[in-house]
Amino acid sequence: MGDAAGHLMSVPPSTVNNMDARRLLITDLDNTLWDWFEAWYQSFTALVDGLVAISGIDRSLLEEQIKAVHQGRGTTEYSNLVREVPALVEFASGRDPFDVFDAALHAQNSRRKAATSLYPGVDETLRALKRAGVRIVAYTESGAYWSEWRIRHTGLDGVIDTLYSSPDHDIAAGVDIAGLRTGRYQGGYGLQKTEHLHVDLGVLKPNREVLNTILHGQRCSPVDAAYLGDSLMKDIAMAQGAGVLDIHAAYGQVQNRPEYDLLRRLTHWSDADVAAEAALARSNGVVVPTLVLRDGISEVLPVFGWPLVGSR
Ligand SMILES: [Mg+2]
């Protein structure tokens, strides 16, 4: 690892202690390993376009009712959505909305598949860290089902040692979860090699409780770990609070993109959280990350005393 020395020059001196000893990378998933927002935006736009085309329902009314379901269910990825939006149920007039809006759901699924892929360098970087003996733990606020789907779809089953996610989101009474998920739109369930543990429902970043649980479970002290994430408000604030080296995945930030407004309109987040994040995106210096990865995840390698991919 001697030839990592040149890269270490760019790391602030305060973080150099224990650098070679760090043996645990705790990483966020969405917009840190893959562009969750882009896949959500493309697939959700395809869904809403399809719903409007089939039903003729006013788009803003539809968005309003979709947001209410998202808030009630605590997620913007709710598989049973079309069965719970009142205007869609009314339009279906007794038929199953899954059948009535089949084409829109297929369009959504196909866009999701096409748009969900790892950022450049993620696979190589994580595998290089594993070869160096670093354990990789993922912590996401997203629900269990879609997190597992993305890990399978991107080939990270087994590359991530342990996944901590929210438990699954509620499905409407009377709907068979297994049937819904192994049915027409998704397919497959579970991870083969990555261990999957759940955090208590309602425990959200930047609460450091889960980070402490992860460190305890991995028998790792904070100085031997590093935390990587794209959200200043959630990831970086949490890591700093827990005394874990915080690394900002600045390459994954999307809050200033114009398309992000659609997510703001439809999110399950509270209005206060949306406003706080928007204010943070406009400001500089409220949460200052210790390390920043601007161009890609491979810039994290020197933190573990490992040369950058392709630098040999
Ligand atoms: Mg994220």
Side-chain angles (χ1 to χ4, degrees), residues 94-107:
R95 293 167 296 164
D96 185 348
F98 270 14
D99 294 329
V100 175
F101 302 109
D102 187 65
L105 291 163
H106 273 287

Side-chain angles (χ1 to χ4, degrees), residues 132-146:
V134 175
R135 283 187 66 80
I136 298 172
V137 172
Y139 173 26
T140 182
E141 286 187 348
S142 280
Y145 175 75
W146 285 113

Side-chain angles (χ1 to χ4, degrees), residues 65-78:
Q65 295 189 354
I66 287 171
K67 184 186 173 75
V69 174
H70 284 166
Q71 289 199 313
R73 295 295 178 180
T75 174
T76 48
E77 297 182 289
Y78 183 49

Side-chain angles (χ1 to χ4, degrees), residues 171-190:
I171 297 288
V175 174
D176 170 42
I177 293 179
L180 180 67
R181 286 172 175 169
T182 56
R184 291 164 291 182
Y185 307 112
Q186 286 94 40
Y189 197 47

